[in-house]
Amino acid sequence: MRTAQDREYDWYFRACFAPVSRTVFLIVHDRCLAEDITQEALYRMLRHWRTVSRYEAPDAWVRRVAIRIAVREVQRAAARPVKERLGQPAVRYDDLPDPDVARAVAALAPMQRAAVVLYYWEDRPVAEIARVLEVSESTVKQHLHRARHRLAEVLGEEVSGDAG
Amino acid sequence: MPVEDRLRRGLEANARAFVPEGEKRLVEVRRRHRARTGTIAAAMAAAVVVGAVFAGTLLGGSDRSASPQPAKGPTEVSTSAGTYAGPRIPDSGWRRVVTREQFVRAGADRAFLADDFGRADRLPVTLSFIGTVYSLSGRYPAGWSVGDAGTVEYAPDGRLQLTSTAPGCRGCVGSLSWRIRGNRLLLGGFRGTPDDPMASVMLEGTWTRIGD
């Protein structure tokens, strides 16, 4: 017999899986890795369910954990020696509807990447991005500012005054 | 084009193109579950009908001189009173944006507006249907948060009935007329028990399909 707690966890699993995977995918650009990271975050929620279930928004906790894992993965991948990276399967950007944006975002530093995805895809306020990435608000603004200029250059678009 | 607009469009398109395998599996599991539940329900209904006919035959046969009685049992089952067999909203996600002004017009107080909108004027909302459950999430100032969740049923006339299981209003029922036109879900005619003008503002209107 399933307990109410199990059912509640299931509900959060169903509610979180797809949206969190999509955000993580925009950061790591790897379908399997995005799902693995989301499952890892959901597994951690299950492990700490007694505590997490008391939070106001357990789904926000899962998202935060998943994004932090994703950023670490990207940082780790960037730190790998070139030869090791060549052994990894190449990301197929051309399969995506907007490969130029995917390539341009992938060329950003890991933290800039995450800040851009959270700001422009999830519409998160700067303060929340700062909490998720465990940096100050001014650091997030700096990441966004630099990323915007870099992306405008790569994509051949103009930079307008934007919040953040 | 400003790079911000390009980014928003590109990220949205790329994100929507990604359908996690896990999500596909969940859809399959739900489909199998629905099929199994439907088969069991049909088998039980058939068993009741056959049982009632058999009982009626036996009772009728015991007194051949009596005038034939209408077979009440089977007739009652076949009308399936209280059930709805028409179209339902498929497993899907929908989004719309509600505005501070709409809530102000509906009589929202300052605390409600501060909680839900902060300093923003717009609140993007997502409504998801998965099998017999729904969830309503709002992008509140502190991030995405579950606004409401509960079970989905349909009234005999096909109206959508949402029964909340969320702690804020456990057991509250909202009933709405609905129809799907292309990638739009139209919800209207909200009736709440208890009456809740804020739920009406949140739910009534045109929703756009997301994902899929």
Side-chain angles (χ1 to χ4, degrees):
Chain A
M1 192 70 180
R2 298 171 60 69
T3 63
Q5 226 180 25
D6 288 342
R7 283 197 296 274
E8 202 180 352
Y9 174 80
D10 283 358
W11 189 88
Y12 276 110
F13 184 94
R14 289 199 298 263
C16 289
F17 191 78
V20 173
S21 302
R22 286 199 177 96
T23 298
V24 171
F25 171 70
L26 291 177
I27 298 172
V28 299
H29 292 116
D30 181 317
R31 288 166 191 268
C32 295
L33 186 57
E35 286 187 43
D36 285 351
I37 289 172
T38 309
Q39 281 181 0
E40 170 67 24
L42 284 159
Y43 169 68
R44 288 189 195 181
M45 177 167 80
L46 181 63
R47 237 174 40 197
H48 302 289
W49 182 238
R50 199 176 286 179
T51 312
V52 178
S53 61
R54 290 196 212 112
Y55 294 166
E56 197 181 328
D59 47 330
W61 187 90
V62 173
R63 176 173 277 104
R64 197 166 58 235
V65 170
I67 289 165
R68 285 180 190 165
I69 300 174
V71 170
R72 270 202 302 275
E73 277 296 326
V74 175
Q75 285 169 334
R76 209 172 292 155
R80 279 187 196 126
V82 178
K83 276 186 183 171
E84 194 183 324
R85 265 183 274 159
L86 288 173
Q88 302 287 325
V91 179
R92 287 157 52 183
Y93 293 109
D94 290 329
D95 292 350
L96 295 170
D98 197 332
D100 295 339
V101 164
R103 268 194 209 96
V105 171
L108 297 172
M111 290 292 263
Q112 286 181 10
R113 229 195 258 199
V116 161
V117 169
L118 290 174
Y119 191 79
Y120 290 106
W121 157 242
E122 291 213 342
D123 279 342
R124 303 276 171 190
V126 169
E128 197 196 337
I129 299 174
R131 275 196 301 275
V132 171
L133 300 178
E134 296 179 298
V135 294
S136 68
E137 287 185 34
S138 59
T139 305
V140 173
K141 286 179 184 170
Q142 209 169 47
H143 282 319
L144 289 171
H145 177 80
R146 286 181 185 160
R148 244 190 326 266
H149 279 81
R150 176 90 186 110
L151 291 167
E153 196 183 307
V154 174
L155 295 169
E157 306 287 1
E158 63 204 58
V159 184
S160 65
D162 195 3
Chain B
M1 182 195 293
V3 70
E4 292 83 6
D5 292 349
R6 177 72 201 280
L7 266 175
R8 285 200 172 94
R9 276 188 213 173
L11 289 172
E12 170 130 22
N14 290 344
R16 296 291 172 217
F18 171 57
V19 180
E21 280 300 317
E23 193 180 32
K24 284 184 202 162
R25 281 197 295 274
L26 280 173
V27 169
E28 280 302 311
V29 168
R30 285 194 292 269
R31 195 171 292 149
R32 278 202 298 274
H33 177 75
R34 272 204 306 275
R36 196 166 54 232
T37 311
T39 309
I40 292 169
M44 283 173 70
V48 170
V49 171
V50 169
V53 168
F54 185 61
T57 309
L58 280 182
L59 288 173
S62 64
D63 184 5
R64 286 171 191 276
S65 61
S67 57
Q69 296 292 315
K72 284 181 183 169
T75 310
E76 279 166 15
V77 170
S78 64
T79 54
S80 59
T83 59
Y84 169 69
R88 288 156 192 261
I89 298 174
D91 288 358
S92 49
W94 307 86
R95 74 159 62 184
R96 70 190 283 254
V97 174
V98 289
T99 64
R100 175 187 287 270
E101 200 189 332
Q102 287 174 294
F103 281 97
V104 170
R105 278 205 300 268
D109 58 22
R110 292 179 68 170
F112 179 93
L113 293 170
D115 278 354
D116 285 16
F117 284 87
R119 281 178 297 167
D121 287 322
R122 301 161 75 250
L123 175 68
V125 194
T126 300
L127 177 62
S128 304
F129 294 94
I130 302 171
T132 56
V133 296
Y134 75 94
S135 74
L136 183 67
S137 311
R139 192 174 287 187
Y140 298 102
W144 280 102
S145 170
V146 177
D148 189 18
T151 56
V152 179
E153 286 169 306
Y154 292 85
D157 62 356
R159 279 175 70 85
L160 176 68
Q161 285 188 330
L162 305 176
T163 305
S164 176
T165 54
C169 193
R170 199 180 296 277
C172 292
V173 180
S175 154
L176 298 123
S177 59
W178 64 277
R179 66 174 190 273
I180 293 175
R181 292 278 178 274
N183 64 343
R184 297 271 191 274
L185 168 67
L186 303 150
L187 296 180
F190 179 84
R191 292 201 291 262
T193 315
D195 189 29
D196 182 359
M198 301 310 134
S200 160
V201 173
M202 195 71 94
L203 288 164
E204 277 187 325
T206 304
W207 296 77
T208 306
R209 192 188 286 266
I210 51 175
D212 300 343

